[in-house]
Each structure stands twice: as structure tokens, then as C-alpha cells.
């Protein structure tokens, strides 16, 4: 099942997409797709209402917003593909590299992304994102992680490399600029995704294929990452985990590969849809 949120920023309505691509409004079941909805059996209620034919069609032609309302936190995993670690001249990590991203970086999958003022190294990163559906606290094993995952979506983990790597301190200030976390278009439930370690991930800039990888090459798989994080923090329903990017980022290509206003970035993961962002100037 695919969940989405349609409408203007701040006014999105919860919706579901059926197997034939028809879109139905969920406003009769929930005010939004958020942590409370995910933790309170919302997905099961939607599944039942959809099967019973009880949902009205959604209005067409609306903006696609992020598929989950502003998360409590965005937790990110760095250097999680061996080829990406190699291109950035970093050692392959022995444990997941963890950093945070500000929740107000989240925008819709096709919204404008802004190059920060003073930036000369704005970069792109296609990533599989995990949306948490139940509280995860000291999970006993990676196998338990499957029970706390509401679904999966696409994220472009936009980054400013000078801010991140050359200005001192932690990575967060190169990751938390406004609009730096395009999310969506759909939150796809695990039963429809299948094996999260068998998904092709791709990204284009101005029509040129820049990243073409697979989640099978993650150093730390999705379930391991969620289990690992639960040993250090409590993951709550509605939280988002960005699980890392494969090789092909601008940081590994050279100065001409960085993003500039007017560039168009397209992002795709098997079964999860596609994003398209035009770069603007902050």
C-alpha cells in the first residue's frame, strides 16, 4: 500500500494510492499521516477501508507533499556504501556513522531545493529512507527491527560539503539547510516493498545519470541500522532514518559536478516512485 499527502505546504491531506493507481482521500479516517496515525493502527484502518470501498477519491492535480508530517527527528547514516566511502577517501566504518538532520529540512519530492547563500559545494545523495511506525528502544536484535518499520520512501539527502567538512565542528550544519530533505512521493508499506536490501537506487542531474547503485551494497543493512540506533536513542513513530547513499556524488566527481540554481535533479528507487527538483537560490 502507498500512502501520500497532497496539497499546499502546511495544508496537505492524507491519501492512499491503490494497486491501480487510483488516489483516495483519508480525511475521514485521520487528520494527517504522522506518528500518532502510524502508532495507532492507522495503516490497518486504511487497508480495511480501501478494501471495503469506503474512501472518496482525492482531487487531482495537487502538489505532492512529503508522505509523513514533520518527523520528530531525522537520523542519518553516513558512509554506508563501500563505494561511496572509497570515493570520499574515507575508511569503511566499523560501526554505523550517525548524524542528525533538522526536521524542518523536509519538503515534498518535487519542491524547489535552495542552494544556500555562499554555497559552492551543494551536493545530492539518493537514499532509501525508513519511516518508523512503533517505538524502538533497546531492540534485542536486528530481526526485531522489522516490527517497528511502518514503511519506506525516497529521500534526497542534499548536503553542502564545504559547510559539512571544511568549516569545523560536526556534519549537521552541512546537512540542515532549508529544503535539504526532499521526501516522498509515497510511504510504501513493507509488504509491498519486499526485501529492502534488493532495491535499485538512481539519481540524475540535468538528465545525466550520476548515481546507479543497489541497497544490496549497504555496509549495514536496514534492519541492522534500526536495531543499532535503538541502542543509543529512542526511535519514535514518525521518525525518519536516511540509510546512506552509493557512489557518484559530486564530492567524488569534482567541482563542476556540484549543484547550481537551475539544475534539475531526478531521484528514483525501485517500487518507491520518483522525485524531481529544480534548484533555486536561497
Amino acid at each position: 500500500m502507498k500512502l501520500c499527502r497532497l496539497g499546499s505546504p502546511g495544508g496537505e491531506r492524507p491519501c492512499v494510492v491503490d494497486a491501480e493507481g487510483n488516489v483516495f482521500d483519508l480525511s475521514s479516517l485521520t487528520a494527517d499521516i504522522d506518528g500518532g496515525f502510524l502508532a495507532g493502527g492507522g495503516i490497518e484502518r486504511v487497508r480495511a477501508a480501501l478494501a471495503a470501498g469506503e474512501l472518496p477519491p482525492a482531487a487531482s492535480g495537487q502538489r505532492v507533499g512529503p508522505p509523513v508530517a514533520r518527523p520528530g527527528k531525522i537520523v542519518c547514516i553516513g558512509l554506508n556504501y563501500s563505494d561511496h566511502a572509497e570515493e570520499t577517501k574515507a575508511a569503511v566504518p566499523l560501526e554505523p556513522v550517525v548524524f542528525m538532520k533538522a526536521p524542518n529540512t523536509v519538503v515534498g519530492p518535487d519542491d524547489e531545493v535552495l542552494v544556500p547563500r555562499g554555497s559552492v559545494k551543494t551536493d545530492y545523495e539518493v537514499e532509501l529512507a525508513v519511516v518508523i511506525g512503533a517505538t524502538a528502544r533497546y531492540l534485542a536484535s536486528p530481526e526485531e527491527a522489522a516490527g517497528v518499520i511502518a514503511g519506506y520512501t525516497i529521500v534526497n539527502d542534499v548536503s553542502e560539503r564545504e559547510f559539512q567538512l571544511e568549516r569545523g565542528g560536526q556534519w549537521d550544519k552541512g546537512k540542515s539547510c532549508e529544503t535539504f530533505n526532499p521526501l516522498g512521493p509515497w510511504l510504501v508499506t513493507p509488504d509491498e516493498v519486499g526485501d529492502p536490501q534488493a532495491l535499485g537506487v538512481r539519481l540524475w542531474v540535468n538528465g545525466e545519470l550520476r548515481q546507479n547503485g543497489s541497497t544490496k551494497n549497504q555496509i549495514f543493512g536496514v534492519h541492522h541500522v534500526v536495531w543499532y540506533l535503538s541502542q543509543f536513542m529512542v526511535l519514535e513513530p514518525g521518525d525518519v532514518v536516511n540509510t546512506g547513499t552509493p557512489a557518484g556524488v559530486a564530492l567524488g566527481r569534482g567541482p563542476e559536478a556540484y549543484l547550481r540554481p537551475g539544475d534539475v535533479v531526478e531521484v528514483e528507487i525501485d517500487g518507491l516512485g520518483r522525485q524531481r527538483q529544480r534548484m533555486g537560490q536561497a
Side-chain angles (χ1 to χ4, degrees):
M1 191 166 62
K2 298 181 177 74
L3 300 172
C4 60
R5 298 168 67 248
L6 304 180
S8 59
E12 295 95 344
R13 297 172 69 90
C15 296
V16 62
V17 183
D18 71 7
E20 286 73 44
N22 302 305
V23 184
F24 297 93
D25 193 301
L26 298 178
S27 299
S28 61
L29 296 181
T30 183
D32 213 338
I33 299 171
D34 55 14
F37 166 83
L38 297 172
I43 290 177
E44 291 72 21
R45 293 198 305 274
V46 171
R47 200 183 301 275
L50 187 62
E54 299 172 349
L55 300 171
S60 61
Q62 300 184 81
R63 164 189 172 268
V64 180
V68 62
R70 183 185 290 189
K73 56 183 172 290
I74 303 171
V75 189
C76 307
I77 306 300
L79 305 173
N80 199 25
Y81 289 72
S82 56
D83 56 357
H84 177 55
E86 181 180 355
E87 73 173 346
T88 60
K89 298 178 174 58
V92 173
L94 299 178
E95 295 190 35
V97 175
V98 179
F99 62 94
M100 309 292 282
K101 198 162 192 174
N104 66 353
T105 58
V106 172
V107 294
D110 302 328
D111 288 349
E112 182 182 46
V113 172
L114 300 177
V115 175
R117 296 179 186 180
S119 168
V120 294
K121 293 184 177 180
T122 296
D123 207 346
Y124 49 82
E125 295 188 13
V126 55
E127 302 195 16
L128 175 67
V130 178
V131 178
I132 302 298
T135 300
R137 176 180 178 270
Y138 294 114
L139 297 177
S141 68
E143 289 71 28
E144 285 193 4
V148 303
I149 294 174
Y152 301 93
T153 189
I154 303 172
V155 63
N156 181 5
D157 178 20
V158 186
S159 310
E160 212 297 335
R161 302 302 189 186
E162 182 187 18
F163 299 175
Q164 177 189 353
L165 301 172
E166 301 173 30
R167 299 286 295 273
Q170 299 181 345
W171 286 7
D172 300 33
K173 66 186 178 186
K175 295 284 188 172
S176 290
C177 303
E178 60 182 332
T179 73
F180 264 27
N181 207 76
L183 197 67
W186 309 311
L187 168 57
V188 185
T189 51
D191 59 298
E192 186 165 330
V193 172
D195 184 358
Q197 305 308 145
L199 303 176
V201 295
R202 294 167 290 275
L203 181 145
W204 294 259
V205 177
N206 299 327
E208 176 192 8
L209 182 63
R210 295 277 186 92
Q211 293 185 273
N212 187 13
S214 171
T215 56
K216 70 181 180 182
N217 295 321
Q218 287 185 333
I219 298 169
F220 304 103
V222 167
H223 293 164
H224 182 95
V225 163
V226 172
W227 162 78
Y228 181 87
L229 292 174
S230 79
Q231 310 307 304
F232 301 96
M233 65 186 76
V234 177
L235 298 175
E236 298 178 331
D239 287 351
V240 172
V241 180
N242 296 350
T243 64
T245 197
V249 299
L251 178 62
R253 289 175 173 266
E256 295 305 313
Y258 287 111
L259 298 172
R260 295 166 176 79
D263 286 345
V264 174
V265 180
E266 296 170 280
V267 189
E268 181 179 81
I269 296 181
D270 293 345
L272 301 183
R274 191 177 178 97
Q275 302 184 349
R276 185 181 189 275
Q277 300 113 32
R278 183 175 293 277
M279 305 299 297
Q281 180 65 59

